[in-house]
Amino acid sequence: MNIQEMILTLQKHWSDQNCILMQAYDTEKGAGTMSPMTLLRSLGPEPWNVAYVEPSRRPADGRYGQNPNRLYQHHQFQVIMKPSPDDIQDLYLASLRKLGIDPAYHDIRFVEDNWENPTLGAAGLGWEVWLDGMEITQFTYFQQIGGLEAKPVAVEITYGIERLASYIQDKENVFDLEWTDGVTVGDIFYQPEYEHSKYTFEESDTDMLFGLFSTYEKEAQRAMEKNLVFPAYDYVLKCSHTFNLLDAKGVISVTERTGYIGRVRNLAREIAKLYVAERERLGFPMLKGEEANDENN
Amino acid sequence: MKTTNVLFEVGLEEMPARFMDDTEQQLKQKTIEWLQQIRLPYQEITTFITPRRFAVLITGLADKQPDQTEEAKGPALKIAKDDQGNWSKAAIGFSKGQGKSVDDLFVKEVKGTEYIFVEKFIEGRTQEQLLPAFKDIILSLNFPKNMRWSNENMRYIRPIKWLVALKDQAIIPFEIAGVKTGRTSKGHRFLGGSFEITDPSAYEEQLAEQYVIAKAEDRKQRILSGIAQLEKEQQWVIPVDLDLLTEVTNLVEYPTVFYGQFSQDYLQLPKEVLTTSMKEHQRYFPVQNNQSELLSYFIGVRNGTEEHIDTVARGNEKVLRARLQDAQFFFEEDQKQSIATNLKRLERMVFQEKLGTIADKVKRVINISRLLADMLQLSDKQKFQIKRTAQISKFDLVTNMVTEFTELQGIMGRKYAEMFGEDPVVAQAIEEHYMPRNTHDRLPETAVGAVVSIADKLDTVVGCFGVGLIPSGSQDPYALRRQALGILQIIQDKEWDLNLDHIIAEVLSLFKQAGIQTESYEQSIDQIEAFFKQRSAYIMKEAALDSDIIEAVLASQLSNFSFLIEKGKLLQEKKADPDFKSSQEAFVRVLNLAVKAEETTAIKPELFENEQEAALYQSYLAVKEPFDKGLTQKNAKQALTALIPLVEPIHLFFDHTMVMAEDPAIRQNRLALLLHIAELLLQFADLTKVQWKQHS
């Protein structure tokens, strides 16, 4: 099964579970969790079921396309269901069967793994899912986001697309994976991997990036002051990516580093609070009927 | 009496393996206590635990509590009868209230007063009434980490999926988090299915049919026998790490052992890299030949049967191959970077926000270890090696290998240092400076490693206290307790004569000089010393010393550890020795009275009024030298024996002398004499802290 078929299969599967199929969010980010479709929508009482592919950029993992396992940008398939359904593990395992992975033929385990992202004031409990010893999925029950208690609890399932594909297609090198028949990951991504690595580590304009960070930060604050949650959050994402570029290049000193992470965290926390407040002001529009009444009691 | 078998099972999403042993113990303990409390006799309690369930089977459980009679106490007799000796209203009311008549009343004396009583029959309650309360046992289990899920408000280790509660064939009704009890359990996630439990006693067997081995011990044995079989078939030696075995046992419901292989080329990697990849990351058991050399095989445990086990083995091989490939790449890349280049990069690596970078720490560790080396009067060669070790002790932190495998810090430092041609002692000391990594770890072998290890840990402990990062309760993020204990363990092991109080003060000054300090100097000193004393008490407890003895020897300066313990052991012996009674009484008397001396003044023999004073002074002068000698030679017995000649003169002194004399000059002189003796005694221990036994 090529990657394209995998994605189609997963989309169909989760669409059948009443997930909204979203497209990747159009701002750079390090993980699918950071998309507002997860980070913000997991907050508050409104139900939310969504699935999407998220290209995730990790500048520090860039290897000029030379490492068989590491990428500047990889892909995650992200599922969020709030409240977490009782049969979520079974739903997940059913998705693996559709990908041609029959659990009876393999060794599948749920190994404790607790997730924490201090930058986002977020924490969750759950597992990494092992397929014959390989970690293919992160499975997390969000407990806290942006410093706020997650209630009801959303469950997040993050499939590592390339990891899973390397197993399904039995390939050793990520660039040999077939995206679609006759087209490999290497065909599509080798050049950007090389160029992004070269740019990140050698060519990026440090002064400009520092300038951008401050600009984005200010704009995020300004938008926040106007109660514009989503625009403010976009600028936080831009801050975060800019920071990652600077950090990967090794131009942020130790003391500064803590400071920068703190700045992003504070923004994210405030936006999380603002998001809930704004949704409440709008009367939590996605709460239907009884649930809305319950919430008002 | 009629008995039944009772089964409770809680089905969960996969529990964390590390909490399972404790959970099972709690379950057993709490069930035993509960049955005692509700007074239901039983034959046997058996507990079960797998990643997806825990359960308890109670066999031969009495159907109801034994009936009881109880005496109910009423009002005092003088209120219960009127003047004519008839039952009063109070008595009638009491008997009615108890459902009895006045004919049932009888009189009994309680603490000198007579009261009226009735005897009540209490019928034993039945299982039906009592057993649903097992819900509280389930809810009372303590887990280190709890979670919420869905819309539930409760917190539990993982979401609850099903509940079984059976009394023979009948369901015991209760509900937790929206899940009702029933008789349906679930088997292995992939090999079994949902099934009805026919009878509690059939639980284990029915689960086995569903590919679940319910007892952790049985799964463990199955893994061990699988390993033993491979050892025999393949002529391998497979050392079984017990922690890993327990973890693997708790990750599966139906274990089957398999082996996989990797390319022999990877055997060139350091052994620790291979074993870390296998054990820590993949939960495999490494394989050796009978010369204890690693072979290019590994042992895995699958959650399932032999079916398709080749696919599983091939999959695992692929994962390990990718990891080792990475490791190989890191190993080669790391060798391209000189130690000097790596050291430069430490300037960018934060140790702690207020305490600066790792490079800053290294500078301090160099100074502290120089200080220690001087105090220990080590050779010039050792001092040279210590300096080099301290300088490069942290260079491996920026290597790819340690970035990826953090647990290899120090170990990779040693390997790379050897490869870069460093002095072998220095290389070894780099690894040793992290020791002991936990309470029961090895201690540094070389003096060089021991010095740098103490210096590194002291820097962390003193530095953290200096900036207010003080451990409290379960909060000890910088593991300061472990590090302080490590320092003491090393000093004890090497039998070094180091005055810790002095060193702590010196180290704190170093921080002060570097402009690092938020807490006041005096406050920090006091806190750090108290902290080390607490840790010392811990070590001494391990050496089986009583807490009063520990307190007594810790009253003297915090120095050589083995000497403190020796002193403690001697005192403990003396505490049980009736012959020491006279001596301890004399010493304690001196210590108690000496407190009254306002200041240390010189003793003036010309003010002595009787011969007992003079005699005591003479013996004081006479014991000083042999006592000091005993202390310097760290010979507790010799030191204490040296003090014994004081005993008789002390008793005579008190028999004939009024210490608190009216003349202030004479009073002060007598107190001065006692204070001088007390100061001597305190150098040994504060004997007033010892709880001396009353010998008859």
Side-chain angles (χ1 to χ4, degrees):
Chain A
M1 188 182 272
N2 61 43
I3 290 181
Q4 194 157 306
E5 286 160 350
M6 281 171 59
I7 292 172
L8 288 169
T9 305
L10 288 173
Q11 285 185 334
K12 176 80 174 80
H13 177 77
W14 291 104
S15 165
D16 290 345
Q17 308 307 323
N18 298 321
C19 282
I20 305 162
L21 283 187
M22 294 300 312
Q23 302 303 312
Y25 197 67
D26 60 348
T27 301
E28 310 93 323
K29 72 206 72 60
T33 309
M34 295 181 77
S35 160
M37 296 303 154
T38 289
L39 194 95
L40 295 180
R41 297 284 182 181
S42 294
L43 283 161
E46 295 167 282
W48 180 250
N49 300 307
V50 66
Y52 55 88
V53 176
E54 194 63 63
S56 304
R57 295 184 189 226
R58 308 232 163 124
D61 281 349
R63 291 290 184 274
Y64 296 85
Q66 298 305 305
N67 187 301
N69 304 311
R70 284 194 198 232
L71 295 170
Y72 169 95
Q73 186 200 57
H74 70 288
H75 295 83
Q76 299 180 338
F77 191 90
Q78 173 90 353
V79 180
I80 292 288
M81 297 190 89
K82 179 178 72 168
S84 61
D86 285 343
D87 57 348
I88 186 66
Q89 283 183 305
D90 293 332
L91 293 178
Y92 166 73
L93 290 168
S95 76
L96 293 188
R97 287 194 181 89
K98 289 185 183 156
L99 291 173
I101 299 168
D102 183 341
Y105 286 44
H106 297 276
D107 183 32
I108 291 177
R109 296 195 214 168
F110 292 82
V111 180
E112 181 199 13
D113 190 42
N114 302 322
W115 170 83
E116 205 170 327
N117 186 335
T119 316
L120 302 173
L125 265 63
W127 312 272
E128 43 185 49
V129 182
W130 286 20
L131 168 64
D132 297 341
M134 177 161 58
E135 183 200 335
I136 51 167
T137 305
Q138 277 289 138
F139 204 115
T140 309
Y141 287 95
F142 286 145
Q143 305 289 304
Q144 199 194 48
I145 303 157
L148 298 174
E149 197 182 28
K151 206 175 170 195
V153 170
V155 63
E156 176 194 58
I157 297 175
T158 305
Y159 302 76
I161 294 275
E162 285 85 354
R163 279 271 184 94
L164 204 47
S166 79
Y167 196 97
I168 292 172
Q169 298 181 21
D170 195 17
K171 295 273 165 59
E172 298 283 329
N173 189 324
V174 64
F175 292 101
D176 294 337
L177 294 172
E178 288 204 356
W179 190 274
T180 183
D181 289 348
V183 183
T184 65
V185 166
D187 293 335
I188 310 168
F189 291 106
Y190 175 76
Q191 187 188 349
E193 279 295 321
Y194 174 80
E195 290 182 358
H196 273 304
S197 302
K198 190 167 174 64
Y199 173 79
T200 301
F201 299 122
E202 301 169 37
E203 298 297 335
S204 63
D205 181 338
T206 302
D207 291 341
M208 178 206 69
L209 289 173
F210 274 122
L212 283 179
F213 185 93
S214 301
T215 307
Y216 291 148
E217 185 187 28
K218 275 194 209 106
E219 193 63 357
Q221 271 155 351
R222 209 173 64 82
M224 212 153 42
E225 279 156 23
K226 310 262 178 206
N227 288 351
L228 300 172
V229 182
F230 285 89
Y233 188 70
D234 283 356
Y235 283 106
V236 172
L237 289 178
K238 286 181 184 297
C239 276
S240 170
H241 177 63
T242 309
F243 167 77
N244 288 343
L245 281 173
L246 287 163
D247 196 34
K249 200 174 182 194
V251 290
I252 293 187
S253 78
V254 174
T255 24
E256 282 172 326
R257 192 170 192 278
T258 335
Y260 277 98
I261 291 175
R263 280 155 77 180
V264 178
R265 173 170 51 212
N266 291 341
L267 285 170
R269 283 182 178 222
E270 283 188 41
I271 289 174
K273 288 194 189 88
L274 185 61
Y275 170 78
V276 177
E278 281 300 297
R279 295 302 289 179
E280 190 171 13
R281 198 177 59 77
L282 296 170
F284 294 124
M286 293 182 82
L287 275 181
K288 307 266 155 61
E290 247 174 272
E291 289 169 86
N293 290 332
D294 277 353
E295 206 51 45
N296 294 333
N297 286 340
Chain B
M1 180 181 261
K2 191 172 174 286
T3 62
T4 47
N5 295 330
V6 170
L7 172 77
F8 297 103
E9 184 193 46
V10 177
L12 298 159
E13 294 182 359
E14 279 78 354
M15 268 180 280
R18 63 196 168 119
F19 302 146
M20 283 169 54
D21 280 7
D22 179 62
T23 302
E24 187 178 9
Q25 275 169 27
Q26 283 188 54
L27 178 67
K28 185 155 204 169
Q29 196 51 40
K30 292 192 171 191
T31 306
I32 291 172
E33 285 165 12
W34 176 64
L35 290 174
Q36 261 165 13
Q37 194 201 327
I38 62 170
R39 298 191 300 114
L40 281 186
Y42 59 90
Q43 212 163 43
E44 203 182 354
I45 290 179
T46 315
T47 50
F48 307 90
I49 195 159
T50 80
R52 295 179 73 208
R53 79 204 69 228
F54 56 79
V56 57
L57 170 69
I58 308 157
T59 55
L61 186 68
D63 216 27
K64 56 180 282 214
Q65 295 173 329
D67 297 335
Q68 273 184 315
T69 50
E70 196 181 86
E71 290 177 346
K73 187 175 146 204
L77 186 60
K78 56 180 179 187
I79 303 170
K81 287 205 169 166
D82 60 22
D83 301 343
Q84 284 80 44
N86 298 318
W87 293 114
S88 68
K89 276 190 174 169
I92 298 166
F94 167 69
S95 58
K96 267 194 181 160
Q98 297 292 331
K100 303 271 175 172
S101 79
V102 287
D103 298 339
D104 299 316
L105 293 171
F106 61 96
V107 176
K108 240 175 96 174
E109 200 183 287
V110 181
K111 287 181 187 163
T113 315
E114 289 182 310
Y115 291 90
I116 58 164
F117 283 84
V118 291
E119 193 162 83
K120 276 172 66 180
F121 172 80
I122 301 168
E123 198 185 345
R125 301 175 72 197
T126 62
Q127 282 191 357
E128 278 75 10
Q129 294 167 297
L130 296 165
L131 293 184
F134 190 79
K135 174 181 174 175
D136 297 330
I137 304 294
I138 296 172
L139 294 177
S140 75
L141 296 174
N142 293 314
F143 307 109
K145 258 188 190 311
N146 290 300
M147 61 173 280
R148 289 180 299 108
W149 63 95
S150 197
N151 281 306
E152 282 303 325
N153 283 318
M154 78 174 283
R155 291 173 177 275
Y156 212 60
I157 184 165
R158 284 290 182 270
I160 296 176
K161 299 275 80 160
W162 73 87
L163 291 169
V164 172
L166 283 182
K167 162 187 164 353
D168 287 345
Q169 275 80 44
I171 292 169
I172 302 162
F174 58 89
E175 181 179 329
I176 299 174
V179 180
K180 288 191 171 70
T181 52
R183 66 178 81 251
T184 306
S185 177
K186 285 185 180 168
H188 187 279
R189 203 181 253 296
F190 307 118
L191 304 172
S194 292
F195 68 101
E196 289 200 347
I197 295 168
T198 53
D199 185 89
S201 59
Y203 176 68
E204 194 176 353
E205 202 185 304
Q206 280 188 289
L207 268 181
E209 285 165 15
Q210 299 289 334
Y211 297 97
V212 173
I213 299 174
K215 281 193 185 135
E217 191 50 40
D218 292 349
R219 293 196 301 278
K220 202 173 267 185
Q221 287 311 321
R222 194 177 145 89
I223 295 170
L224 284 173
S225 72
I227 288 176
Q229 199 186 335
L230 278 176
E231 281 186 316
K232 206 170 129 200
E233 283 170 12
Q234 308 280 344
Q235 313 279 302
W236 289 338
V237 176
I238 305 166
V240 175
D241 179 317
L242 289 181
D243 288 341
L244 182 62
L245 177 65
T246 303
E247 187 182 0
V248 172
T249 301
N250 289 340
L251 278 170
V252 296
E253 296 203 296
Y254 195 88
T256 296
V257 170
F258 66 90
Y259 75 90
Q261 199 173 356
F262 56 86
S263 160
Q264 292 210 356
D265 295 347
Y266 294 125
L267 290 176
Q268 291 159 5
L269 284 167
K271 188 180 171 186
E272 292 84 354
V273 172
L274 290 166
T275 50
T276 305
S277 291
M278 286 188 263
K279 286 165 76 171
E280 309 290 333
H281 298 165
Q282 296 299 135
R283 276 75 153 183
Y284 302 148
F285 297 93
V287 176
Q288 299 178 350
N289 62 15
N290 49 21
Q291 269 97 52
S292 297
E293 293 161 336
L294 274 185
L295 298 175
S296 56
Y297 295 93
F298 64 90
I299 307 299
V301 177
R302 180 226 193 155
N303 185 21
T305 61
E306 295 275 353
E307 293 275 309
H308 307 288
I309 202 142
D310 280 346
T311 316
V312 175
R314 297 297 84 76
N316 278 279
E317 284 175 351
K318 183 178 149 74
V319 182
L320 185 61
R321 195 156 57 232
R323 282 204 184 272
L324 295 181
Q325 218 166 36
D326 255 9
Q328 178 84 41
F329 173 78
F330 295 146
F331 193 52
E332 282 161 13
E333 285 298 301
D334 286 344
Q335 290 171 51
K336 293 178 193 161
Q337 304 293 327
S338 71
I339 291 179
T341 318
N342 286 326
L343 290 179
K344 193 95 191 108
R345 290 175 59 202
L346 293 179
E347 291 166 15
R348 305 185 29 80
M349 189 174 212
V350 74
F351 166 52
Q352 199 280 328
E353 207 184 327
K354 290 175 183 159
L355 297 173
T357 64
I358 298 281
D360 295 331
K361 182 183 185 30
V362 165
K363 278 183 211 146
R364 294 191 300 263
V365 172
I366 293 172
N367 286 330
I368 301 169
S369 30
R370 184 192 301 130
L371 188 80
L372 292 170
D374 286 344
M375 291 171 94
L376 292 166
Q377 299 176 322
L378 298 178
S379 71
D380 285 348
K381 187 176 179 198
Q382 283 175 315
K383 285 181 183 171
F384 185 77
Q385 288 166 330
I386 285 170
K387 187 175 179 190
R388 182 64 183 160
T389 303
Q391 269 174 345
I392 67 173
S393 57
K394 305 288 181 190
F395 87 91
D396 64 342
L397 293 184
V398 290
T399 60
N400 289 300
M401 199 68 101
V402 175
T403 311
E404 195 68 13
F405 302 78
T406 45
E407 54 274 64
L408 293 182
Q409 63 178 11
I411 293 166
M412 290 320 297
R414 176 186 188 157
K415 297 272 172 221
Y416 289 140
E418 280 167 358
M419 295 170 91
F420 286 128
E422 292 288 331
D423 180 340
V425 174
V426 170
Q428 183 178 347
I430 292 173
E431 178 175 357
E432 288 177 345
H433 98 278
Y434 285 107
M435 295 177 185
R437 290 166 192 252
N438 56 58
T439 326
H440 302 289
D441 190 21
R442 281 188 298 147
L443 297 170
E445 196 180 296
T446 66
V448 177
V451 165
V452 181
S453 175
I454 295 175
D456 182 41
K457 292 174 176 62
L458 264 178
D459 176 75
T460 306
V461 174
V462 175
C464 285
F465 269 80
V467 298
L469 298 168
I470 298 168
S472 68
S474 60
Q475 296 294 307
D476 185 10
Y478 294 91
L480 301 186
R481 291 193 184 108
R482 181 170 57 72
Q483 305 218 32
L485 196 61
I487 293 172
L488 298 172
Q489 285 175 315
I490 296 170
I491 295 177
Q492 189 190 359
D493 178 61
K494 290 275 181 270
E495 297 188 4
W496 276 343
D497 190 15
L498 284 172
N499 182 333
L500 257 183
D501 289 351
H502 175 64
I503 301 170
I504 291 166
E506 290 278 340
V507 175
L508 202 54
S509 311
L510 283 176
F511 279 98
K512 212 175 164 190
Q513 283 160 26
I516 301 169
Q517 200 178 5
T518 57
E519 309 289 303
S520 87
Y521 180 80
E522 288 72 21
Q523 194 192 336
S524 297
I525 287 263
D526 289 348
Q527 284 173 335
I528 299 167
E529 285 178 8
F531 184 67
F532 271 97
K533 282 202 168 164
Q534 284 165 15
R535 300 295 102 198
S536 316
Y538 177 85
I539 292 192
M540 293 200 257
K541 258 207 176 84
E542 297 259 290
L545 293 183
D546 298 343
S547 38
D548 58 328
I549 300 280
I550 293 172
E551 211 186 325
V553 293
L554 278 179
S556 68
Q557 228 174 17
L558 201 54
S559 57
N560 185 308
F561 241 79
S562 25
F563 186 46
L564 283 186
I565 289 176
E566 206 197 313
K567 286 201 281 193
K569 283 190 171 152
L570 184 64
L571 278 183
Q572 200 146 309
E573 227 172 79
K574 294 291 176 196
K575 194 164 106 171
D577 179 2
D579 293 342
F580 194 66
K581 185 169 186 262
S582 170
S583 309
Q584 62 89 353
E585 280 172 355
F587 295 151
V588 167
R589 213 165 161 192
V590 170
L591 288 166
N592 282 336
L593 215 61
V595 185
K596 295 199 172 22
E598 279 152 20
E599 50 182 337
T600 320
T601 47
I603 302 164
K604 296 176 190 139
E606 63 274 18
L607 289 177
F608 290 154
E609 284 190 328
N610 64 32
E611 55 185 280
Q612 285 80 9
E613 282 180 273
L616 180 56
Y617 181 54
Q618 284 311 316
S619 4
Y620 162 70
L621 294 178
V623 304
K624 252 185 91 126
E625 202 195 303
F627 175 69
D628 282 343
K629 206 169 150 197
L631 287 187
T632 357
Q633 292 180 355
K634 309 293 163 201
N635 187 331
K637 201 160 190 172
Q638 193 184 325
L640 189 61
T641 313
L643 294 171
I644 299 299
L646 283 170
V647 174
E648 232 7 72
I650 292 174
H651 283 304
L652 289 170
F653 171 84
F654 282 120
D655 288 347
H656 295 91
T657 319
M658 171 75 180
V659 178
M660 303 309 275
E662 284 198 13
D663 181 342
I666 295 196
R667 184 169 70 226
Q668 205 181 345
N669 195 47
R670 286 177 180 164
L671 284 172
L673 175 58
L674 292 181
L675 186 61
H676 276 82
I677 299 172
E679 278 169 356
L680 216 58
L681 296 174
L682 285 172
Q683 285 182 49
F684 190 84
D686 184 351
L687 299 174
T688 63
K689 305 278 192 223
V690 180
Q691 284 159 16
W692 299 101
K693 289 202 176 112
Q694 301 299 318
H695 299 285
S696 50

